[in-house]
Amino acid sequence: VQTCALPIYWPQIFASNYEYLAPLITISGFITEGILDRYPDIRIVVAELGLDWIDQVRSAVISAGFPDPMPYLKRNFWTTCEIEDPEFKRKALAIGHDRLLFGTDFPHKDPGGMHSYNDIAKINNMLEIKELSQEEYDKICFVNYNFLKSR
């Protein structure tokens, strides 16, 4: 494993997201320090950050003068999602349903965890009322996990 020094400017860029500073710096470093170019087949799972980190990392990387990192995000990253997020559909379309993994905060409660006991019912309902297609549902619940286990 090769280590790299992360740019000194990341903390200033992510200052408004202090709680998630370390994971955002790490994700950004994978992109900007050439690690994903050196290891293009690496599979990275981001858990417990919802989908907000995608917009935050994109914005920070672009504002630091690097190209849009979305091609890396769509190639190398998978993320657990909180389907109760009011912007779930927009964020899911941005990264792609083939990068999402169903997750739940069960059994612990946290801010936003009021749905933690209803996540399975919520995602099933999204399928029933056609907020998710069968293909999208299958990717989030089964297909993406199986892909990550393969190889």
Side-chain angles (χ1 to χ4, degrees):
V1 174
Q2 182 178 0
T3 60
C4 63
L6 294 176
I8 209 163
Y9 47 78
W10 288 128
Q12 290 83 14
I13 291 172
F14 289 119
S16 64
N17 302 307
Y18 185 76
E19 180 181 338
Y20 300 115
L21 181 61
L24 294 178
I25 289 173
T26 301
I27 293 165
S28 300
F30 272 111
I31 294 164
T32 61
E33 297 302 312
I35 296 168
L36 300 179
D37 292 322
R38 185 170 182 180
Y39 304 101
D41 295 327
I42 194 169
R43 297 173 182 179
I44 301 167
V45 175
V46 178
E48 287 290 322
L49 290 182
L51 299 177
D52 289 338
W53 69 268
I54 297 164
D55 288 340
Q56 293 166 358
V57 165
R58 283 186 78 198
S59 176
V61 168
I62 291 168
S63 71
F66 293 94
D68 188 343
M70 190 54 85
Y72 293 110
L73 299 177
K74 288 184 173 189
R75 183 185 77 202
N76 298 100
F77 290 88
W78 286 259
T79 185
T80 58
C81 58
E82 297 181 11
I83 55 170
E84 69 271 8
D85 181 334
E87 293 190 58
F88 171 78
K89 289 179 89 168
R90 179 191 66 78
K91 294 173 185 177
L93 287 172
I95 190 72
H97 290 87
D98 60 332
R99 298 295 168 202
L100 302 179
L101 305 167
F102 178 77
T104 181
D105 283 334
F106 181 82
H108 67 88
K109 286 195 175 249
D110 58 6
M114 65 185 201
H115 298 286
S116 62
Y117 302 104
N118 299 313
D119 288 336
I120 294 171
K122 172 77 173 157
I123 197 166
N124 288 336
N125 186 55
M126 290 175 76
L127 176 64
E128 288 174 21
I129 64 172
K130 309 242 186 278
E131 284 186 25
L132 284 175
S133 70
Q134 184 68 53
E135 180 182 13
E136 292 164 345
Y137 175 90
D138 289 346
K139 285 179 179 181
I140 294 169
C141 293
F142 311 107
V143 174
N144 298 340
Y145 283 104
N146 289 330
F147 173 77
L148 286 169
K149 292 186 333 185
S150 70
R151 232 175 19 135

